[in-house]
C-alpha cells in the first residue's frame, strides 16, 4: 500500500510536498515523492488524502485511561480538593466500571490520532481494551505503601499483577511500574523502584506537579499535611502514610535521596515546581520528562518550564493526563496550548515553535518511552504508525507551513485516518469493525450515573 498527501511530515527530516510512503505488512519500506513511488510500485494500492498531512501517529506519554469516565464530574477546582474528590468518587467503581472507562479512553485516543499510549494504571483495567483495540501501549502498574512494613509485600504483589497483565496483552504492549504520588507513598517504595529500574526495567512517577505536593514534601504543610483538618482533602488523609516527615528539600531532591532516580529508564510526569538545581539534577540523571500542560493549567498546578528543561538536554514529551483532569485525550490541544502558554511566560525571544510541539508529541515522546527505534517518525524500517490530518478547511488555508497549520488550526475533527502497525483503526469517521463504539458509549453512560451519587 502507498499512502500520499499534499504534505508528508517524516518529523526526522524536512516535509515533502506530494510525498508518499510505501507500507508492507507493518513496516515502512519506502519514502519519497508520490510519482517516484508510483513508478517503482505500479501495482500497489494507492490511498490519496489530498490536501492533508501524513505524519507519525501521536505518542501520548502519560495518561490514565481508567479515569476517562470521570470527565466533567468536577470542574473549576484546584488540584488538592480535586484529587481528594476524585479519590472519594473512585471508591464507587468496580473492576467492570474501570474497564468500560478505559475502553472509552481507547476509542477517544484512536479518533484523535494517538497511536501509542503510556498508561498509568491502578486496577489493570486498561490492558484488555488496549490489547483488543490494536493500539501500541506501555502500561505502568501503580504501586505504593502506607507503612515501612508493607513496602515489600506491596512491591511483590505489584510484580505478580504485572505477570497476570502480560497474559492478556498484545504484541504491541509493554509494562512497567509506577510509584504512587509522593504524598501517599512510603519513601522505601521509591528505593525499591530505583533498584528495580537499574537494569532498564520501566519505572514512572509523578514528580513535583502541584504546590500541595511541594509544600508537603518540603515543609509538611498544605492541605496534604498529616494533621490537616481540611474537609476538602480528607479523602487523601485516609490513604496517607503516617510515617512521612518534612524533609526540607524539593520533591526532586527527595526522590533522588531515596534512589528512584537511579532507575535507568525513569519517566517523570508533570515536573512543574522545579528550580535550576532540580533541572540540573534531572538532566544529570538522564530522567525523561512528560509535561501535561492542559491538565496542570486547568487544576491550577502551574506550567512546566519546557524551554528550560529542553535547554538542559532533557527529553521532554507531551502527555494528555486523564480526561478527568484535561477533559480529553487531545494531543492537538496539548500542542497548541503548550506552545502559546510557554510563549506567554517567556521573557526572551527563545520560544517554542510548531515544529518543537510536533516533535514533543511524536519522536521526543517515543524517545522518552525508549521506543524511538520503532515509532515517532516516518523512516524506512520503522513501524507503520501513521495518521492523516485534513488541512483543506477554510480556516486552514493557505497551508504553506504544514507544521504550523497542524498545531495552530487542526483538532481531532480534522483527523482522517489512524493506522497502527500497518492496520487502519480509524478511516474518515469510521472505526475498525472490532471497535464497539455504540455499546461502549451506552455502558459508559450507565457507569457515569454512579459518579453523580
Amino acid at each position: 500500500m502507498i499512502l500520499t498527501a499534499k504534505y508528508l511530515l517524516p518529523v526526522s527530516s524536512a516535509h515533502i510536498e506530494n510525498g508518499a510512503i510505501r507500507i508492507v505488512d507493518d513496516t515502512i519500506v519506502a519514502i519519497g515523492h508520490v510519482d517516484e513511488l508510483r513508478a517503482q510500485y505500479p501495482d500497489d494500492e494507492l490511498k490519496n488524502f489530498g490536501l492533508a498531512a501524513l505524519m507519525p501517529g501521536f505518542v501520548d506519554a502519560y495518561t490514565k485511561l481508567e479515569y476517562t469516565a470521570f470527565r466533567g464530574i468536577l470542574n473549576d477546582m484546584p488540584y488538592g480538593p480535586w484529587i481528594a474528590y476524585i479519590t472519594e468518587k473512585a471508591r464507587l467503581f468496580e473492576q467492570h466500571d474501570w474497564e468500560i472507562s478505559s475502553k472509552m479512553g481507547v476509542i477517544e485516543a484512536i479518533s484523535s490520532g494517538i497511536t501509542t499510549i503510556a498508561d498509568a494504571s491502578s486496577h489493570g483495567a486498561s490492558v484488555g481494551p488496549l490489547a483488543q483495540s490494536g493500539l501500541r501501549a506501555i502500561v505502568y502498574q501503580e504501586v505504593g505503601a502506607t507503612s515501612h512494613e508493607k513496602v515489600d509485600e506491596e512491591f511483590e504483589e505489584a510484580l505478580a499483577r504485572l505477570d497476570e497483565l502480560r497474559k492478556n496483552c498484545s504484541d504491541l504492549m509493554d509494562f512497567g511500574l509506577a510509584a504512587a504520588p509522593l504524598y501517599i507513598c512510603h519513601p522505601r517504595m521509591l528505593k525499591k523502584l530505583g533498584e528495580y529500574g537499574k537494569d532498564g526495567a520501566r519505572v514512572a512517577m509523578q514528580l513535583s506537579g502541584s504546590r500541595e505536593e511541594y509544600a508537603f514534601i518540603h515543609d509538611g504543610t498544605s492541605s496534604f499535611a498529616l494533621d490537616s483538618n481540611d474537609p476538602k482533602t480528607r479523602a487523601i488523609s485516609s490513604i496517607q502514610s503516617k510515617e512521612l516527615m518534612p524533609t526540607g528539600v524539593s520533591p526532586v531532591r527527595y526522590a533522588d535521596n531515596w534512589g528512584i532516580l537511579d532507575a535507568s529508564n525513569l519517566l517523570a510526569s508533570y515536573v512543574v515546581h522545579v528550580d535550576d538545581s532540580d533541572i540540573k539534577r534531572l538532566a544529570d540523571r538522564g530522567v525523561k520528562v512528560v509535561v501535561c500542560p492542559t491538565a496542570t493549567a486547568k487544576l491550577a498546578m502551574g506550567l512546566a518550564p519546557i524551554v528550560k528543561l529542553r535547554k538542559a538536554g532533557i527529553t521532554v514529551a507531551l502527555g494528555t493526563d486523564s480526561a478527568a483532569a484535561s477533559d480529553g485525550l487531545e494531543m492537538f490541544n496539548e500542542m497548541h496550548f503548550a506552545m502559546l502558554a510557554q510563549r506567554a511566560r517567556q521573557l526572551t525571544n527563545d520560544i517554542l515553535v510548531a515544529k518543537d510541539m510536533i516533535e514533543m508529541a511524536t519522536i521526543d515522546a517515543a524517545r522518552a518511552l525508549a521506543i524511538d527505534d520503532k515509532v515517532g517518525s516516518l523512516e524506512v524500517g520503522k513501524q507503520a504508525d501513521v495518521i492523516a490530518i485534513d488541512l483543506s478547511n477554510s480556516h486552514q488555508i493557505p497551508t504553506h507551513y504544514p507544521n504550523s497549520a497542524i498545531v495552530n488550526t487542526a483538532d481531532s475533527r480534522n483527523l482522517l485516518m489512524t493506522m497502527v502497525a500497518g492496520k487502519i483503526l480509524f478511516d474518515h469517521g469510521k472505526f475498525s469493525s472490532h471497535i464497539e463504539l455504540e455499546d461502549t458509549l451506552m455502558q459508559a453512560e450507565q457507569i457515569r450515573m454512579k459518579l453523580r451519587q
Side-chain angles (χ1 to χ4, degrees):
M1 175 188 290
I2 294 174
L3 305 180
T4 186
K6 174 65 175 177
Y7 301 106
L8 177 71
L9 277 66
V11 173
S12 54
S13 57
H15 76 265
I16 305 170
E17 288 203 27
N18 299 311
I21 58 173
R22 182 176 186 245
I23 296 166
V24 175
D25 297 327
D26 61 355
T27 306
I28 298 170
V29 297
I31 297 176
H33 192 279
V34 62
D35 292 341
E36 296 172 355
L37 266 61
R38 286 293 286 161
Q40 288 180 301
Y41 310 102
D43 296 329
D44 275 23
E45 174 191 355
L46 179 70
K47 195 170 180 66
N48 190 342
F49 291 94
L51 182 48
L54 284 170
M55 61 174 284
F58 295 127
V59 178
D60 188 347
Y62 178 73
T63 190
K64 293 177 77 72
L65 291 173
E66 292 171 345
Y67 283 85
T68 307
F70 287 67
R71 182 197 348 254
I73 293 299
L74 186 66
N75 291 308
D76 304 323
M77 191 170 285
Y79 180 76
W82 176 86
I83 191 63
Y85 183 90
I86 293 295
T87 298
E88 188 143 351
K89 285 294 183 181
R91 293 170 181 149
L92 299 172
F93 266 28
E94 299 172 1
Q95 186 67 15
H96 175 71
D97 301 325
W98 293 116
E99 290 170 0
I100 294 300
S101 187
S102 298
K103 191 176 288 189
M104 285 176 63
V106 165
I107 289 171
E108 188 168 338
I110 292 170
S111 62
S112 62
I114 294 169
T115 54
T116 299
I117 284 179
D119 183 54
S121 173
S122 300
H123 308 276
S126 63
V127 174
L130 283 167
Q132 294 161 14
S133 71
L135 282 175
R136 196 177 303 276
I138 297 165
V139 177
Y140 292 90
Q141 172 65 52
E142 189 172 283
V143 57
T146 57
S147 68
H148 179 279
E149 289 78 13
K150 291 185 177 180
V151 169
D152 290 341
E153 176 187 348
E154 294 290 345
F155 186 78
E156 292 304 318
E157 286 186 7
L159 292 179
R161 284 196 294 273
L162 283 187
D163 288 339
E164 286 299 311
L165 295 177
R166 287 189 177 97
K167 295 178 182 177
N168 299 312
C169 73
S170 73
D171 293 339
L172 299 177
M173 297 175 68
D174 198 3
F175 294 88
L177 292 178
L182 293 181
Y183 51 84
I184 59 172
C185 187
H186 194 281
R188 264 202 69 228
M189 185 62 79
L190 304 182
K191 188 172 183 62
K192 294 282 287 188
L193 288 166
E195 293 168 352
Y196 169 76
K198 276 186 177 179
D199 295 328
R202 295 183 179 279
V203 177
M205 69 182 304
Q206 298 177 17
L207 184 60
S208 212
S210 67
R211 295 175 182 87
E212 291 92 339
E213 177 195 288
Y214 192 101
F216 177 72
I217 296 299
H218 194 279
D219 304 313
T221 59
S222 85
S223 56
F224 291 165
L226 298 179
D227 60 353
S228 173
N229 293 315
D230 189 340
K232 294 180 179 178
T233 55
R234 198 165 288 152
I236 293 296
S237 63
S238 66
I239 56 175
Q240 280 182 296
S241 171
K242 302 304 183 282
E243 300 173 14
L244 298 178
M245 299 289 289
T247 65
V249 299
S250 71
V252 171
R253 179 69 177 269
Y254 170 72
D256 196 16
N257 288 347
W258 279 98
I260 192 170
L261 301 195
D262 290 339
S264 62
N265 197 3
L266 178 64
L267 188 69
S269 301
Y270 301 148
V271 192
V272 174
H273 298 282
V274 288
D275 60 20
D276 291 346
S277 64
D278 290 329
I279 292 173
K280 184 178 186 305
R281 187 177 294 268
L282 294 173
D284 290 345
R285 305 300 240 125
V287 176
K288 309 300 191 298
V289 169
V290 186
V291 298
C292 305
T294 302
T296 59
K298 183 186 175 190
L299 298 176
M301 298 163 71
L303 292 169
I306 297 175
V307 174
K308 278 191 171 185
L309 292 166
R310 283 165 58 98
K311 271 191 167 184
I314 295 172
T315 297
V316 182
L318 280 177
T320 61
D321 204 341
S322 72
S326 64
D327 287 328
L329 279 70
E330 177 67 84
M331 198 64 77
F332 290 103
N333 184 57
E334 296 297 337
M335 292 190 297
H336 184 63
F337 176 73
M339 184 177 72
L340 297 188
Q342 292 293 320
R343 289 184 183 184
R345 67 181 292 179
Q346 197 69 10
L347 299 178
T348 70
N349 289 327
D350 188 8
I351 61 173
L352 294 171
V353 299
K355 186 174 184 294
D356 296 328
M357 307 321 300
I358 288 178
E359 288 174 353
M360 288 171 60
T362 56
I363 189 61
D364 287 344
R367 290 187 183 114
L369 299 175
I371 54 173
D372 52 302
D373 60 325
K374 298 182 179 68
V375 299
S377 60
L378 302 182
E379 300 180 58
V380 172
K382 283 195 173 184
Q383 289 278 282
D385 289 13
V386 188
I387 59 174
I389 303 166
D390 187 9
L391 299 178
S392 67
N393 296 279
S394 59
H395 65 280
Q396 297 173 302
I397 297 172
T399 59
H400 307 308
Y401 305 100
N403 288 302
S404 294
I406 291 167
V407 174
N408 290 312
T409 72
D411 59 32
S412 59
R413 290 170 295 184
N414 302 118
L415 186 79
L416 298 175
M417 183 202 71
T418 301
M419 171 186 283
V420 180
K423 295 180 180 178
I424 295 176
L425 306 183
F426 181 83
D427 190 5
H428 289 81
K430 295 183 179 180
F431 290 90
S432 299
S433 58
H434 67 281
I435 296 174
E436 302 164 347
L437 177 61
E438 292 184 8
D439 183 58
T440 300
L441 294 178
M442 183 175 65
Q443 292 185 71
E445 187 55 34
Q446 291 173 358
I447 65 171
R448 280 175 59 83
M449 294 300 290
K450 292 185 178 184
L451 302 176
R452 298 192 182 106
Q453 295 178 17

